[in-house]
Amino acid sequence: LLLRFSQVQDLNETPVFQLPITVSWYEGEVRKTRIVEVTKVQQEVVLENDSLVSLVYVNEGQEILMKGNQVMTNAQYLRQFKESQFGVARYEALDSLVSRDAAEELGVVLPLALEDSFAAIRERGLSLLQGGDQWKEALGELEGKIYRLAEEDPNNKVRAGALEVLTEWNPSGYRGAFTRLARDPSYLVAGAALMGLARVADPVVELSWMETFERETNFRMAVGVAEYYISTKVLGKGPWFEQTFSKLSGEGLYYFMGYYGSYFMDVEVSDKEKAIRRLLAILEDNPKNFLRLGAFQTLMGFVMEEGVLDKMAAIAEKEQSKDLQSYYSYYLELLKEEN
């Protein structure tokens, strides 16, 4: 088997690397390897094997941080996922199939991903099942396995991801599990369960039960409560939204901000002016770029209110971040055309 290696860096700025690269392949379940010393810009290596090899992996375990360009087919990525002993290589294969929208191969890989020993792969597989409506129809038989992950997986991110899939697929069917797991010591798990309860429609969860979570300070719990108040249009919760907004910061505030805006835009509309002022203040004065971005995104829901679009544009003119300037400019132009 002939292997060709090329180093494509700018040799005027970067020297030719001396790289010990692991080349690997599988003979049945046995992994075979060879270390190739790459020392030239263009280099060929003959891989002499006793048995026929149809697929080799370069830097399979990613021992070297490098950008490679090994061209593979969907079928080869499927094989990589099935046979590689390295979680990072299986994750790469799954991600590559996703980027290619390889539905046929993903239909085979996703059930395997839920059983993978690498937690990141289980989590990634669940996120794909949650995000694609086609998988509920094609792989609906996985629901029981997903529920077991929610109950039993040793990784809380995986448990939360499983609950999120069940929330999208069949929230009313897991009301009892959601109710119990909303008290889980992990905020990841409890928050996902609470969001599931907020989506239960038949019958709707009792208001008094959801109100018991109002004092929770973790944003994952707060967004579940907020989703319930918005979806069931509970009036009189403006003070809770304001207090929670004041308590949160950083990532938590960013995620809560959209719910805050939705509540005052669609439910407690009589208090929307105060909400708009608060969001405009963050857009203008908050030192964190991502929070100013969140405020801008939330305010886009209020642009039909008198003067809001003009105030957003005036604040945008003073923005110092080049990335945010570009983002604001693009959406403000669209909003001005629509209004």
Side-chain angles (χ1 to χ4, degrees):
L1 188 65
L2 180 65
L3 304 177
R4 292 188 176 91
F5 295 90
S6 300
Q7 297 192 39
V8 298
Q9 66 270 27
D10 186 346
L11 296 178
N12 293 319
E13 298 181 0
T14 308
V16 177
F17 297 123
Q18 313 291 305
L19 299 173
I21 296 178
T22 300
V23 176
S24 57
W25 64 97
Y26 290 84
E27 296 180 6
E29 296 183 357
V30 179
R31 182 175 183 264
K32 301 294 184 78
T33 63
R34 177 177 170 183
I35 304 297
V36 176
E37 297 289 342
V38 177
T39 60
K40 302 176 182 177
V41 175
Q42 302 286 337
Q43 187 169 335
E44 294 185 349
V45 177
V46 177
L47 192 64
E48 298 177 351
N49 296 69
D50 296 331
S51 57
L52 180 66
V53 176
S54 59
L55 181 61
V56 298
Y57 304 109
V58 177
N59 196 35
E60 180 189 9
Q62 297 191 16
E63 297 91 350
I64 296 177
L65 184 60
M66 57 180 282
K67 182 179 180 180
N69 187 27
Q70 184 177 2
V71 179
M72 294 173 61
T73 65
N74 291 349
Q76 287 173 328
Y77 277 124
L78 174 58
R79 178 175 167 183
Q80 176 177 328
F81 186 90
K82 287 182 173 182
E83 73 178 2
S84 179
Q85 296 175 4
F86 288 87
V88 67
R90 298 195 301 277
Y91 191 98
E92 176 194 35
L94 173 58
D95 226 28
S96 297
L97 291 172
V98 172
S99 69
R100 295 180 176 191
D101 197 21
E104 181 178 349
E105 289 77 13
L106 284 171
V108 177
V109 165
L110 286 174
L112 300 176
L114 299 188
E115 299 178 343
D116 199 277
S117 60
F118 198 40
I121 292 177
R122 300 196 300 278
E123 185 182 353
R124 179 72 167 124
L126 289 164
S127 72
L128 295 170
L129 291 173
Q130 178 193 0
D133 292 338
Q134 76 271 27
W135 300 123
K136 180 180 178 180
E137 297 180 7
L139 300 174
E141 72 277 3
L142 295 178
E143 190 172 315
K145 184 180 294 185
I146 294 167
Y147 173 62
R148 287 193 295 276
L149 289 175
E151 292 280 12
E152 302 170 3
D153 198 277
N155 185 285
N156 286 329
K157 286 186 177 180
V158 174
R159 294 180 67 201
L163 288 168
E164 289 166 0
V165 177
L166 296 175
T167 295
E168 294 298 324
W169 285 18
N170 184 17
S172 295
Y174 294 92
R175 176 178 180 144
F178 290 156
T179 300
R180 177 168 41 79
L181 293 174
R183 303 293 185 184
D184 194 272
S186 165
Y187 279 127
L188 281 168
V189 175
L194 201 59
M195 183 62 76
L197 284 171
R199 301 280 182 85
V200 171
D202 187 21
V204 173
V205 176
E206 295 82 0
L207 172 61
S208 60
W209 196 86
M210 292 297 288
E211 286 176 329
T212 63
F213 295 93
E214 284 192 348
R215 293 187 179 182
E216 292 284 354
T217 56
N218 186 279
F219 79 90
R220 291 182 174 86
M221 304 297 284
V223 297
V225 176
E227 173 68 21
Y228 174 85
Y229 290 158
I230 294 167
S231 62
T232 57
K233 298 190 181 302
V234 179
L235 294 171
K237 293 299 179 180
W240 176 81
F241 275 90
E242 294 290 357
Q243 292 165 12
T244 305
F245 194 100
S246 297
K247 293 176 183 177
L248 294 174
S249 60
E251 178 190 25
L253 179 57
Y254 177 82
Y255 283 109
F256 185 77
M257 208 179 293
Y259 293 93
Y260 174 85
S262 293
Y263 183 77
F264 290 106
M265 183 168 51
D266 299 326
V267 184
E268 200 78 32
V269 295
S270 61
D271 290 337
K272 70 175 64 174
E273 291 300 324
K274 182 178 180 180
I276 290 170
R277 288 195 300 271
R278 192 163 202 173
L279 291 166
L280 286 170
I282 289 180
L283 179 63
E284 185 167 20
D285 299 325
N286 196 281
K288 296 186 181 299
N289 287 9
F290 73 97
L291 288 178
R292 298 199 304 280
L293 173 62
F296 183 90
Q297 292 169 333
T298 305
L299 282 163
M300 284 197 288
F302 293 97
V303 293
M304 297 302 293
E305 302 300 317
E306 185 177 356
V308 171
L309 187 57
D310 290 339
K311 290 175 182 177
M312 290 171 66
I315 294 172
E317 289 181 358
K318 298 182 286 185
E319 176 59 56
Q320 298 299 307
S321 165
K322 297 296 184 182
D323 289 339
L324 288 183
Q325 284 178 7
S326 177
Y327 183 92
Y328 293 166
S329 177
Y330 176 79
Y331 282 101
L332 286 170
E333 285 300 318
L334 288 180
L335 291 168
K336 288 177 181 177
E337 290 176 7
E338 293 175 0
N339 292 278

